[in-house]
Amino acid sequence: MKIGLIPEIATALLLARLRQTLIAAIGVTFSITMFVTLLSFMNGLNGLLDNMVLNRTPHIRLYSDIKPSENQPINLSKKYSGAYHFISSINPGSNRKELYNVGAIVQALKSDDRVLGWAPKVAAQVFYNIGPIEMTGVINGIDVISEQNLFYFEDYVVEGNAIDLQNIPNTIILGKTAAEKMLAKVGDNIQVTSGSGEQYTLKIVGFFQSGLAEIDKVQSYASLKTTQKILGKPNNYITDIQIKLHDMSMAPKVGKEYSSLFRCDAEDIQTANAQFETGSSVRNLISYAVGITLLIVSGFGIYNILNMMIYEKMDTIAILKATGFSGKDVKKIFITIALSIGLIGGFAGLIFGFLLSKIIDNIPFVTAALPTIDTYPIDYNPVFYIIATAFSLVTTYLAGWFPARKASKVDPVIIIRGK
Amino acid sequence: MKNDIVLMAQSITKYFTDPLPVKVLDDVSFQISKGEFTSIAGKSGCGKSTLLYILSTMDTDYTGQLWIGGQEMKIKTEKELAAVRNEKIGFVFQFHYLLNEFTVLKNVMLPGQKLAKLSDKDLEEKAMLHLKQLDIESLAKKPAYQLSGGEKQRVAIARALINDPLIIMGDEPTGNLDKKNSDIVFDIFAKLSSVYGQSMLIVTHDEEFAKKTGRTIVMEDGRIISSG
Ligand SMILES: Nc1ncnc2c1ncn2[C@@H]1O[C@H](COP(=O)(O)OP(=O)(O)OP(=O)(O)O)[C@@H](O)[C@H]1O
Ligand SMILES: [Mg+2]
């Protein structure tokens, strides 16, 4: 057979039914447009929400939890090693929240090339004093530079300058919600009371807003030094080391390593934020489900139109068969028709999907909860376009396959007799 | 089997089972030699069309044997039979079946493009030659649906000729035409037979038509009563 004869016949049949073909193609275009837009938008949102957490969450947090020793004295005794020990009313031996061996940990981190960076932290439980009222709070003593590098600290400082924490002694950056409650302004002094009852005066050099009101009500930031002073601890006192890795998925493994090596606790991001991943995957699932449903609906559109075409073109099919085209040739013709509808409609859909995403990308979206965002987020991931193309081809192929098979089975004798 | 036999039917028997089993063709045997202009005549309902659909390989639901160009048809697949129809048989229907999506020229060329023995250019030349012989070359670029019945039938004949078939089959090709057009079509057939030695098997119930052909096979109730 001449190459290109099947597409040529398919094109002629297509053009003879241009209106219906266009409608079928528009159906595909619509569903691909929605599919691409929906996924880009959903993933943009997912990325945004994930980043909200991921940007500020260490991949691994090393800390020392307050808990009873796992190795009670009786367990260490050789004499009773074979016995079952009933131990009751265990209390933690010390209330040290301090990380031991900070120096050694830092050495290890420096020489570990899986590690992107780390930031030390001292968390101090305090009360903010507002006149006679006391509000609980947590002051995070941080190293501003590394906090900035790893966790984009400055992005969340909505007023004032983050670096002032480092440069001016006895300063604090308050959570926005807490500041509102205290009616505090940048430049004001506030009183805080440490856990051990001592009072300090701190100057407010800025506000920060994480977008999570619960955090903004409680957390505030100061330099490591200031916080150590409030706690009355020496300047090697560190409660947390926050680590970011090059590859986030390594976090549980690396965390365990450090935890056993330095006898501290390690919390990895996967454990700490399991619910976020669930949220993302559910949103993804929904957008795929909606997108695929749209495609299936448009597949039925193609199916209908091809079925109609086959009824209308019975004569054509009969003549083709009578003049030497096999059932397989006829099937190819109709599959070609279906695939061209899918291909043309799908390609237009990709373009429109991209344009619609662009439009959404430019719609202003200002919310206090997300200080770093000013338009709706869109994820222009080419994978969505590839998936959309693949799905449109698969659905149109399937939608074309059944009518095409029917066409291939048309008995020319019945058609010719029927005249 | 001799080389100059283009078609041979042996004990072809066919039943229709709907609604009751009826024997439409009963032990039909005959053969057609190269260059013969044969007609099949008989009363309406005697099984002429049914026989022709079997001979043209479109109907495979029969018992008996059929050879075309020395090849046994019973053992061929659907695809192989399509190839036989494409290369060895030219079919002219009563109702001038053309593809309305294409021009006259394209209609004539399509079976040739399916066969793909000639380039498009050569095929087009050949198709134009046939159209010219049939006196319709001026219609070549017209869409098929714009033609009159007689013109369509001539296009169908040109299409049947495009692959130089072993045999041309027609099921009442003049049945739907007026006297003048019938005569034109008959004259074309007569010329194809006498000048080009084209083998032909034409079903008709037009006695005048049948008489003018070289040989007439007469059927009655699914049997051949005279092989001419
Ligand atoms: N699909 C079918 N099912 C059952 N019976 C059929 C079928 N097709 C044809 N017949 C019957 O078979 C017989 C032969 O039909 P056929 O069309 O071959 O006749 P014919 O000789 O061509 O007649 P005409 O000259 O009117 O065209 C008729 O009695 C017809 O009613
Ligand atoms: Mg008939």
Side-chain angles (χ1 to χ4, degrees), chain A residues 244-266:
Chain A
K244 270 207 172 172
L245 301 175
H246 291 288
D247 176 8
M248 191 176 102
S249 61
M250 301 272 287
K253 186 172 160 270
V254 179
K256 266 195 204 89
E257 250 173 57
Y258 277 82
S259 158
S260 67
L261 201 57
F262 297 104
R263 304 246 235 98
C264 58
D265 295 288

Side-chain angles (χ1 to χ4, degrees), chain B residues 101-114:
Chain B
E101 296 82 4
F102 293 104
T103 62
V104 165
L105 180 63
K106 185 75 190 175
N107 264 285
V108 177
M109 284 170 69
L110 263 181
Q113 289 179 314
K114 166 69 189 165

Side-chain angles (χ1 to χ4, degrees), chain A residues 413-414 417, chain B residues 14-20 22-25 40-53 94 171-172 203-205 219 222:
Chain A
V413 174
I414 292 174
R417 252 190 202 290
Chain B
K14 179 176 173 77
Y15 288 88
F16 279 123
T17 49
D18 185 31
L20 289 169
V22 182
K23 206 180 212 177
V24 251
L25 293 177
I40 302 179
K43 285 207 201 81
S44 181
C46 69
K48 306 183 294 291
S49 298
T50 308
L51 176 62
L52 201 68
Y53 295 137
Q94 172 176 4
D171 190 359
E172 307 195 21
V203 165
T204 183
H205 54 211
M219 285 180 68

Side-chain angles (χ1 to χ4, degrees), chain A residues 204-254:
Chain A
I204 302 172
V205 292
F207 299 136
F208 91 98
Q209 189 176 32
S210 67
L212 303 172
E214 250 350 271
I215 289 181
D216 298 345
K217 201 164 79 187
V218 178
Q219 308 272 340
S220 59
Y221 290 91
S223 69
L224 279 176
K225 225 185 237 150
T226 308
T227 319
Q228 285 157 348
K229 212 157 72 185
I230 292 169
L231 288 170
K233 300 286 187 186
N235 63 7
N236 63 354
Y237 177 87
I238 298 291
T239 59
D240 295 72
I241 289 180
Q242 314 172 87
I243 302 168
K244 270 207 172 172
L245 301 175
H246 291 288
D247 176 8
M248 191 176 102
S249 61
M250 301 272 287
K253 186 172 160 270
V254 179

